[in-house]
Amino acid sequence: LNSVIACDEVVTHEEKDNTSTISPTCTFIILSCSADGSVDRVIRKILRNLKNCNKSQDEGSPSSPKPNNESIAIALLGHARCDNSANQMKDTIFNYGRKFHKCIEVATTSSEINVTERLEVQVELEGPDEPGGFDEWVNKNASPDM
């Protein structure tokens, strides 16, 4: 069963001397990638729409992104059940997830949103608390000093 999970960190507003400050936010997108590389149809539809949107945009001079407190972090969860399958099928398993990450990067190039490095992890083989694993990735991306 393929699934898509998106979670957005809460944005807080504090009133100080008639000015508001916004804390850093990170939107986490977690994609489940099956052993044959398929992802939920919503992801395929988003990919199609992003590609069409990018093709229809005028070719202008690329603007440099401005520093911002908003970012998108994408995790790709594979479901291989043995190390051998995980190593041999890695490119197949994460193919659509990598395409999705690339499309998000391209779509946000001219915006103020930063796309962080994606995480690729085989959840059946690696626990979330392993070094360089899911928990560490979440903590790194959720910290205000990303």
Side-chain angles (χ1 to χ4, degrees):
L1 178 68
N2 293 323
S3 60
V4 179
I5 303 169
C7 177
D8 196 4
E9 186 177 318
V10 177
V11 179
T12 60
H13 298 277
E14 297 177 8
E15 294 295 327
K16 292 182 182 178
D17 302 325
N18 295 331
T19 61
S20 64
T21 58
I22 300 174
S23 67
T25 62
C26 182
T27 301
F28 292 93
I29 301 173
I30 302 170
L31 302 180
S32 177
C33 304
S34 68
D36 66 353
S38 61
V39 291
D40 193 271
R41 64 185 178 92
V42 171
I43 297 303
R44 292 190 304 272
K45 187 174 182 179
I46 291 171
L47 275 170
R48 240 184 345 266
N49 290 338
L50 283 174
K51 286 180 182 179
N52 292 338
C53 182
N54 289 337
K55 288 178 184 176
S56 65
Q57 288 179 348
D58 293 333
E59 295 291 328
S61 61
S63 61
S64 60
K66 300 173 187 171
N68 192 357
N69 289 335
E70 295 181 33
S71 63
I72 297 174
I74 300 173
L76 309 178
L77 307 182
H79 299 282
R81 294 202 170 114
C82 73
D83 287 328
N84 191 34
S85 294
N87 290 331
Q88 288 181 352
M89 300 297 291
K90 185 176 185 175
D91 290 336
T92 301
I93 293 169
F94 297 121
N95 185 37
Y96 267 105
R98 290 172 180 167
K99 287 179 183 180
F100 179 78
H101 183 263
K102 185 66 176 169
C103 279
I104 295 293
E105 280 184 325
V106 170
T108 59
T109 301
S110 61
S111 72
E112 297 179 6
I113 298 173
N114 303 313
V115 179
T116 64
E117 185 176 327
R118 73 179 173 269
L119 173 72
E120 295 180 0
V121 63
Q122 297 288 350
V123 294
E124 305 288 337
L125 301 174
E126 305 169 27
D129 54 349
E130 290 201 16
F134 186 79
D135 289 351
E136 190 175 301
W137 175 81
V138 168
N139 291 330
K140 181 180 91 175
N141 287 300
S143 67
D145 57 343
M146 292 182 280

